[in-house]
Amino acid sequence: LPLKERLTAYVVEGTKDGLIPDLEEALAKVDDPLEIINGPLMTGMDEVGRLFNDNQLIVAEVLQSAEVMKASVAHLEPHMEKSSADRKGKVVLATVKGDVHDIGKNLVEIILSNNGYEVVNLGIKVPPADLIEACRREKPDVVGLSGLLVKSAQQMVLTAQDMKEAELDLPIMVGGAALTRKFTENRIAPQYDGPVLFAKDAMNGLELTNRLRN
Ligand code: B1M
């Protein structure tokens, strides 16, 4: 198989045999390691999602694919561009209550911290009360919420309501597969006093954070 297809296959098959040498080969060919993540590795994850949806994969297999994705990101991370910018601001990140998906959120953490942000990553299944407590404790410039399940989009509405009730109005950035800009603008933003922005991917998340800070 050509290199790109091999990289996709590691994720789909959930195997790491040969992964690292192939990642090294790919690194030598790209300007930015994100091209490898957003390209062949993401293609693999989308295929895993499709196969899982068709009942051709079980959760345990999807978990192995997730492990390959995480190992790849960990291997590529030191090669990613880092800005020497001073601390630009602080971001609190969380996957919302009820949701365990964290690969996208952790990618956002890597990209923000490589670009001068201090990131407080609260992890997965974070209830609104924990998020509110972290906002009071950490005083971030932006709160980032991730969620991949359809029910997580609804959970973001509830989280925004709770944050408003707690009299918070710092900017919220939301992202994740089940979310759209339209849902963000029509359903989440009206429930909150501060700005609520939709990030389509991790790089867009950095752009939005840079803009929110200014
Ligand atoms: Co899950 N899962 N999963 N899963 N899983 C999906 C999301 C699903 C679409 C698969 C499918 O059926 N086709 C489906 C959701 C259906 C729905 O609600 N519409 C699904 C399901 C059903 C489930 C379970 C319910 C399965 C079960 O148990 N029966 C269960 C849920 C458990 C729970 O959360 N309570 C479950 C479990 C799992 C695993 C644990 C096995 C594993 C996750 C491991 C982990 O994250 N540690 C897993 C995986 C791997 C997936 C798929 C295959 C891949 C997700 C992924 O990591 N993508 C996924 C299908 C798919 O997405 N194609 C699927 C790679 C990652 C880099 O992309 O997170 O989208 P993503 O992030 C992107 C953007 O969305 C954005 O930036 C990133 C790109 O740069 N982004 C942000 C994300 N967050 C952001 C935040 C930001 C900014 C941008 O700012 C704050």
Side-chain angles (χ1 to χ4, degrees):
L1 285 180
L3 180 60
K4 276 188 185 165
E5 290 172 31
R6 293 206 299 277
L7 289 169
T8 299
Y10 290 117
V11 176
V12 176
E13 287 162 20
T15 167
K16 293 181 198 164
D17 287 343
L19 173 68
I20 300 299
D22 276 352
L23 285 174
E24 286 294 320
E25 192 180 329
L27 271 172
K29 290 184 178 159
V30 297
D31 294 325
D32 180 353
L34 261 188
E35 291 172 39
I36 305 171
I37 296 173
N38 291 336
L41 298 176
M42 245 349 228
T43 303
M45 265 310 194
D46 287 341
E47 177 67 0
V48 169
R50 195 189 62 76
L51 291 170
F52 179 65
N53 216 18
D54 284 356
N55 294 319
Q56 294 185 53
L57 288 179
I58 57 170
V59 172
E61 291 168 320
V62 180
L63 211 46
Q64 282 191 315
S65 298
E67 286 304 317
V68 174
M69 188 75 177
K70 286 190 171 194
S72 305
V73 172
H75 188 78
L76 297 173
E77 199 268 331
H79 300 274
M80 286 188 199
E81 212 176 297
K82 291 184 182 57
S83 91
S84 51
D86 276 351
R87 195 173 161 283
K88 290 205 274 185
K90 196 191 245 191
V91 181
V92 161
L93 273 186
T95 298
V96 295
K97 181 180 171 187
D99 195 325
V100 305
H101 298 87
D102 67 354
I103 298 175
K105 166 182 65 66
N106 293 345
L107 201 54
V108 174
E109 175 183 18
I110 289 171
I111 288 171
L112 287 177
S113 47
N114 280 351
N115 286 280
Y117 288 94
E118 183 185 346
V119 178
V120 181
N121 188 339
L122 301 178
I124 58 172
K125 298 201 280 186
V126 178
D130 291 6
L131 192 70
I132 289 163
E133 192 194 306
C135 288
R136 293 201 168 119
R137 187 181 64 233
E138 304 290 345
K139 302 192 175 25
D141 301 288
V142 178
V143 173
L145 300 178
S146 180
L148 265 67
L149 302 170
V150 167
K151 69 170 187 185
S152 300
Q154 195 53 45
Q155 182 56 48
M156 288 185 190
V157 176
L158 301 175
T159 304
Q161 285 172 342
D162 286 356
M163 286 177 64
K164 177 179 170 163
E165 244 169 66
E167 293 178 355
L168 292 168
D169 63 359
L170 68 161
I172 301 178
M173 175 169 75
V174 296
L179 223 57
T180 60
R181 184 177 311 280
K182 223 172 152 189
F183 185 90
T184 306
E185 285 169 3
N186 296 341
R187 302 289 307 284
I188 309 177
Q191 305 296 327
Y192 190 60
D193 282 338
V196 183
L197 297 181
F198 169 73
K200 70 171 166 36
D201 57 30
M203 271 319 276
N204 187 216
L206 171 64
E207 289 155 15
L208 293 178
T209 309
N210 283 337
R211 231 179 289 157
L212 282 170
R213 198 181 46 101
N214 293 323

